[in-house]
Amino acid sequence: MSKTSSEVGVTKLAGEALESVEQIARVTEAHIEHSVAPIRKSVAARFPTLFLLLITFGFTATVTGIEHSLMKYQILAGNPEVIFVIGVGILVLTGTLYKKLG
């Protein structure tokens, strides 16, 4: 089925509009990154201990939350080997997936 000239015109117009929007988005992203990068580097450089503490707290809170969520289930609370096997299985699965994707 062939396209009519109006369909071709609409398709061309839509393509041009998308290219224009993509160009504007790239320019805006570059401008924002150029403006924010020095501030981000400055804050991290001025307060390294604060960022280290925040990262440590975030990691610890995540691990503790996962641990407590897993311990709600009686089979996992009584058998830490099951948690270990599930964890190793997930690591193997994600590692295999990572290799296949990239």
Side-chain angles (χ1 to χ4, degrees), residues 44 47-63:
F47 305 108
T49 306
L50 175 64
F51 278 91
L52 180 63
L53 290 173
L54 288 173
I55 291 168
T56 303
F57 177 77
F59 179 76
T60 305
T62 302
V63 169

Side-chain angles (χ1 to χ4, degrees), residues 2-79:
S2 66
K3 293 184 178 182
T4 65
S5 63
S6 65
E7 290 174 334
V8 171
V10 169
T11 303
K12 184 178 177 183
L13 184 62
E16 291 172 358
L18 283 175
E19 287 177 17
S20 175
V21 169
E22 286 176 351
Q23 178 62 27
I24 292 170
R26 279 193 291 271
V27 169
T28 304
E29 180 184 7
H31 179 68
I32 290 172
E33 184 63 30
H34 180 70
S35 299
V36 172
I39 296 169
R40 186 181 334 130
K41 289 178 184 176
S42 171
V43 171
R46 288 189 314 197
F47 305 108
T49 306
L50 175 64
F51 278 91
L52 180 63
L53 290 173
L54 288 173
I55 291 168
T56 303
F57 177 77
F59 179 76
T60 305
T62 302
V63 169
T64 303
I66 291 171
E67 179 181 1
H68 284 276
S69 295
L70 291 173
M71 292 301 140
K72 288 192 302 189
Y73 301 103
Q74 193 61 33
I75 191 166
L76 297 176
N79 300 311

